[in-house]
């Protein structure tokens, strides 16, 4: 039993000055966490209880799946990450340190390298496989802008697991087993969640999906189709473009004088003032955006031009997600000065190959389509410039910002944009790390074969904040029962010794019945303050012991629905026990099914 009279807890009435999202405000006000430094938090008793409850649900379902728990050090030697290339790939987000002997180390952001090396050191035969290992451990990333409390911190707890299989069929089965287990985990935790296609980024690998909790406070943007089950984050989303066109039906391109047209709007106005036999709008123009890229370990930047319809903006985050681990930034005036052939405001694709500048277009710029674009001469644009006739890009990449109403690439339905918090991510890594570290198994034929891997993460601390975001209301936190710090919050609403004693006796009976009890037995605290604290702390069931006790009644309140009722004191334990059913046991996995594969990227 937790007694508020002795619990290390101080609730606050005012929001913390640095809080940006509701969960951050309430977790601090309710005394669950306290800030130590930007992105770094201490966990107080109630917060730690919730964190451990989330952790145990994740652990129990992983064990039920057949995974085995290990634990790695947070501090990793530099050479381990250099071998995989991630000492450079992670850039400034790594916490790097040097010991007294001058040796370089890092604080682990993830542990693919150590998992791979551990299995390599222990297993050698095909008979040892498959195997899945996991750990629940603190990770470290030097976020440039830590925000939203524990949602985006520099130190956080994460479950990461890795599957090791002999072949691709085994990997597909391991991937599906994890996917099924994640659905059980997030259902038990009480989440409303979506499974969306994603990109693997610096992790590497092929098939990749995210589990997102939809909430306005989420940092991730994703889309979902209104007509089918397709969902993807904006880095991986595909949208349906128009069909290829017959470029031969277009007039020959011509160059026009277009002075004083610094914007798409002024260019369109100028075009429509000319007698070109048709009207134009922004969607008829081809906007060519100059970026710069740098591969891991490369010192110099390379220029990249990306072409998109003029009525759309380039989504740099979407581009970066598809190009990782390559860095991508907007090119500066100084970068443009290194290539005099690129005339700012008048860049066209017609001569980019001659300039040896890589040129990619969004799939909306279809084969045979005609555009108005720069003529590579100041104050001039070209009209009827056709892809496949007047220019040929080096490739395609999804580059435009996604809009509500874009069409689904699968069914042609309407896509809707939403925001969410990433809860977990599953990857089919393949053989990337096994090849780097020489992880293989000797087969029955006596020949070695390279092991194939999967990687699967769940943000434990992030899950606490995401649950708070999805369940809170204007009064405070509203925890799902399995993660709440208690099953029932007993409030002694009065100063009379009889009421205090009655509340204590009821709490003891509830505890004896196997329930987790939080008892507000504070003396000298008004009932109003106790009621507000009970709403702020968010325990799902509240029992108020007050004046009705003399008549044999107490108040039962459901924190999430705010429904209240009077119940008989002698029936309270039975009623609350029926509401707070025993914690769900891990559920066995069904026979693994083939994992659904993302549609190929354009």
């Amino acid at each position: 039993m937790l007694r508020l009279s002795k619990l290390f807890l101080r609730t606050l009435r005012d929001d913390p000055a640095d809080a940006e999202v509701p969960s951050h405000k309430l977790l601090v006000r309710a005394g669950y966490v306290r800030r130590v430094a930007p992105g770094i938090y201490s966990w107080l008793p109630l917060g730690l209880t919730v964190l451990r409850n989330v952790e145990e649900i994740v652990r129990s379902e992983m064990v039920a799946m057949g995974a085995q728990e290990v634990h790695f050090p947070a501090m990793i030697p530099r050479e381990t990450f250099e071998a995989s290339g991630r000492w450079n790939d992670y850039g400034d987000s790594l916490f790097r340190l040097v010991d007294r002997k001058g040796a370089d180390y890092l604080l682990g952001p993830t542990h693919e390298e150590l998992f791979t090396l551990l299995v390599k050191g222990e297993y050698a035969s095909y008979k040892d496989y498959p195997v899945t290992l996991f750990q629940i451990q603190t990770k470290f990333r030097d976020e440039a802008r830590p925000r939203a409390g524990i949602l985006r911190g520099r130190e956080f707890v994460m479950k990461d697991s890795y599957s090791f299989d002999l072949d691709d069929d085994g990997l597909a089965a391991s991937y599906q087993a994890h996917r099924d287990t994640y659905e059980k985990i997030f259902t038990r935790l009480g989440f409303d969640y979506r499974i969306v296609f994603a990109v693997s980024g610096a992790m590497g690998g092929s098939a990749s999906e995210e589990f997102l909790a939809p909430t306005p406070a989420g940092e991730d943007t994703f889309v979902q189709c209104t007509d089918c089950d397709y969902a993807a984050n904006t880095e991986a989303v595909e949208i349906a473009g128009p069909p290829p066109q017959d470029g031969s039906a277009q007039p020959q391109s011509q160059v026009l004088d277009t002075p004083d047209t610094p914007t798409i709007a002024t260019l369109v106005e100028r075009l429509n003032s000319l007698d070109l036999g048709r009207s134009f709008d922004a969607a008829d123009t081809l906007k060519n955006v100059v970026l710069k890229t740098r591969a891991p370990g490369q010192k110099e930047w390379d220029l990249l031009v990306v072409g998109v319809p003029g009525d759309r903006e380039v989504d740099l985050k979407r581009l970066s997600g598809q190009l990782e681990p390559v860095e991508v930034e907007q090119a500066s005036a100084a970068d443009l000065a290194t290539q005099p052939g690129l005339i700012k405001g008048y860049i066209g694709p017609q001569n980019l190959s001659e300039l040896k500048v890589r040129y990619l277009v969004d799939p909306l710029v279809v084969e045979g389509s005609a555009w108005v674009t720069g003529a590579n001469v100041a104050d001039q644009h070209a009209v009827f410039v056709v892809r496949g006739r007047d220019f040929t890009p080096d490739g395609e990449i999804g580059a435009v910002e996604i809009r509500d109403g874009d069409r689904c690439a699968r069914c042609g339905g309407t896509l809707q944009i939403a925001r969410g918090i990433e809860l977990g991510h599953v990857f089919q890594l393949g053989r990337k790390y096994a090849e780097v570290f020489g992880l293989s198994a000797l087969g029955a034929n006596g020949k070695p074969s390279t092991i194939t891997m999967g990687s699967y993460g769940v943000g434990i601390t992030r899950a606490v904040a995401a649950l708070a975001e999805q369940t809170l209301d204007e009064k405070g936190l509203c925890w799902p029962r399995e993660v709440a710090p208690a099953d029932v919050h007993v409030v002694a609403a009065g100063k009379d010794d009889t009421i205090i004693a009655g509340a204590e006796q009821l709490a003891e009976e509830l505890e004896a019945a196997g329930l987790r009890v939080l008892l507000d037995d504070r003396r000298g605290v008004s009932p109003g303050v106790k009621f507000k604290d009970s709403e702020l702390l968010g325990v799902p069931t509240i029992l108020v012991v007050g004046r009705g006790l003399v008549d044999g009644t107490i108040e039962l309140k459901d924190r999430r629905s705010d429904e209240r009722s009077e119940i008989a004191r002698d029936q309270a334990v039975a009623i609350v026990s029926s509401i707070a059913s025993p914690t769900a046991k891990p559920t066995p996995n069904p026979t693994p099914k083939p994992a659904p594969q993302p549609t190929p990227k354009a």
Side-chain angles (χ1 to χ4, degrees), residues 275 431 564:
D275 186 13
R431 296 172 175 81
R564 305 163 188 258

Side-chain angles (χ1 to χ4, degrees), residues 374-430:
N376 302 300
V377 177
D379 297 328
Q380 291 186 347
H381 282 84
V383 294
F384 308 118
V385 178
V386 176
R387 175 181 172 180
R389 185 188 72 185
D390 302 309
F391 72 93
T392 301
D394 296 306
E396 293 184 350
I397 189 168
V400 299
E401 286 186 348
I402 304 303
R403 293 175 178 170
D404 269 323
D406 279 336
R407 293 190 302 115
C408 175
R410 286 191 169 182
C411 72
T414 301
L415 295 177
Q416 291 181 335
I417 296 176
R419 298 194 69 80
I421 297 169
E422 182 184 342
L423 304 172
H425 206 158
V426 290
F427 307 89
Q428 289 190 21
L429 282 178

Side-chain angles (χ1 to χ4, degrees), residues 335-354:
D335 296 317
L336 280 170
T338 65
Q339 182 49 268
L342 297 177
I343 311 299
K344 184 177 181 181
Y346 298 92
I347 297 171
Q350 302 92 314
N351 68 341
L352 291 179
S353 60
E354 297 173 16

Side-chain angles (χ1 to χ4, degrees), residues 159 178-186 211 456-458:
K159 186 284 298 178
H178 272 86
R179 196 177 189 273
D180 291 341
T181 296
Y182 276 29
E183 291 196 66
K184 293 171 186 173
I185 287 170
F186 296 127
F211 289 71
Y456 320 90
V458 172

Side-chain angles (χ1 to χ4, degrees), residues 421-466:
I421 297 169
E422 182 184 342
L423 304 172
H425 206 158
V426 290
F427 307 89
Q428 289 190 21
L429 282 178
R431 296 172 175 81
K432 173 181 176 179
Y433 293 94
E435 289 172 350
V436 167
F437 293 105
L439 174 59
S440 63
L442 200 63
N445 59 3
K447 296 181 179 180
S449 60
T450 303
I451 295 301
T452 185
M453 294 169 56
S455 174
Y456 320 90
V458 172
I460 305 294
T461 48
R462 175 170 286 209
V464 174

